[in-house]
Amino acid sequence: EVQLVESGGGLVQRGGSLRLSCAASGFYFSGYWMTWFRQAPGKGLEWVANIKEDGSNKYYVDSVKGRFTISRDNAKNSLYLQMNSLTAEDTAVYYCARGEGWVDYWGQGTLATVSS
Amino acid sequence: DIQMTQSPSSLSASLGDRVTITCRASQGITNSLAWFQQKPGKAPKSLIYRSYILHSGVPSKFSGSGYGTDFTLTISNLQPEDFATYYCQQYNNYPLTFGGGTKVEIK
């Protein structure tokens, strides 16, 4: 069974940092692109970033470029999102998902709240 | 960026009804279109990819169609578990973008 479990969310002050993690199980993690999405409270879904199977290619939405870094550790079956210089607009539930363009499995999400 | 416009933004329907949700892309995206279902407080679930292919385990009451700029999601025989918000998403170009969502409510 494919499982994706996010962690690392929490309350942080504006300008601070958070590192989100996504633990994957039930599939060959090294064989898939992985993606981060987010959803601000009461809003729609937004793509944040994705990363190729071997980490050699990464893409970001413009609003997070230069502040967020996606990475992965295939030996640990884990995906990460380092978020720096956080603003109130980054407050959201962050989901990891399996896949590049189309994603087939999602985690349950982790809430990151940026206080001003 | 490709803008995805869903309509309607919400609809009310009765049990057993058939409903159709439309999604329009601001430029052609071939068939690189996915649909997701989300219930309150839950993660999205994948329904359809490549415009019409059902994700594993998704019942055949869901169907998708379209190519280029205009797409539809049809849900037949609405049941209580189908009341949710539905999103379309294009993956033909970066940045990947979503429609604003369609909330399907019980009449």
Side-chain angles (χ1 to χ4, degrees):
Chain A
E1 178 194 5
V2 173
Q3 283 202 317
L4 298 167
V5 180
E6 301 92 338
S7 60
L11 178 64
V12 63
Q13 286 193 327
R14 183 182 58 187
S17 298
L18 277 176
R19 188 193 194 213
L20 306 184
S21 299
C22 171
S25 61
F27 66 100
Y28 181 59
F29 181 73
S30 303
Y32 287 86
W33 279 73
M34 296 295 295
T35 298
W36 286 102
F37 296 96
R38 66 184 178 182
Q39 187 170 35
K43 302 297 185 183
L45 297 165
E46 180 182 34
W47 169 74
V48 175
N50 58 12
I51 184 168
K52 195 175 178 180
E53 296 95 334
D54 62 358
S56 59
N57 287 81
K58 305 173 185 182
Y59 297 92
Y60 300 90
V61 68
D62 281 352
S63 60
V64 309
K65 279 180 186 174
R67 301 187 300 122
F68 289 14
T69 302
I70 189 171
S71 62
R72 64 192 295 161
D73 185 337
N74 287 343
K76 294 183 178 180
N77 290 341
S78 292
L79 175 72
Y80 305 102
L81 187 67
Q82 178 67 43
M83 307 190 296
N84 298 331
S85 304
L86 287 162
T87 72
E89 286 68 42
D90 297 315
T91 293
V93 175
Y94 286 76
Y95 298 100
C96 67
R98 187 179 81 167
E100 177 192 1
W102 173 64
V103 296
D104 53 3
Y105 292 96
W106 298 64
Q108 86 290 348
T110 187
L111 175 62
T113 304
V114 183
S115 67
S116 53
Chain B
D1 298 3
I2 297 176
Q3 310 303 316
M4 304 300 293
T5 304
Q6 275 183 249
S7 60
S9 56
S10 66
L11 65 90
S12 295
S14 301
L15 294 178
D17 281 356
R18 175 173 141 159
V19 299
T20 297
I21 298 167
T22 66
C23 180
R24 175 165 288 173
S26 60
Q27 64 188 71
I29 58 170
T30 65
N31 61 355
S32 302
L33 192 284
W35 291 97
F36 301 94
Q37 176 195 66
Q38 187 177 35
K39 296 180 180 179
K42 300 293 187 182
K45 279 184 56 178
S46 299
L47 294 176
I48 287 171
Y49 64 102
R50 213 176 292 167
S51 175
Y52 69 95
I53 302 175
L54 266 59
H55 177 47
S56 173
V58 175
S60 59
K61 62 188 306 180
F62 293 94
S63 62
S65 66
Y67 188 92
T69 61
D70 294 310
F71 301 86
T72 61
L73 171 70
T74 299
I75 312 168
S76 59
N77 188 23
L78 270 175
Q79 293 301 303
E81 60 270 22
D82 302 326
F83 292 93
T85 299
Y86 294 85
Y87 294 94
C88 63
Q89 179 228 326
Q90 69 80 21
Y91 52 94
N92 195 65
N93 294 81
Y94 285 109
L96 312 182
T97 48
F98 287 86
T102 297
K103 187 173 184 179
V104 177
E105 299 175 299
I106 300 175
K107 185 183 287 184

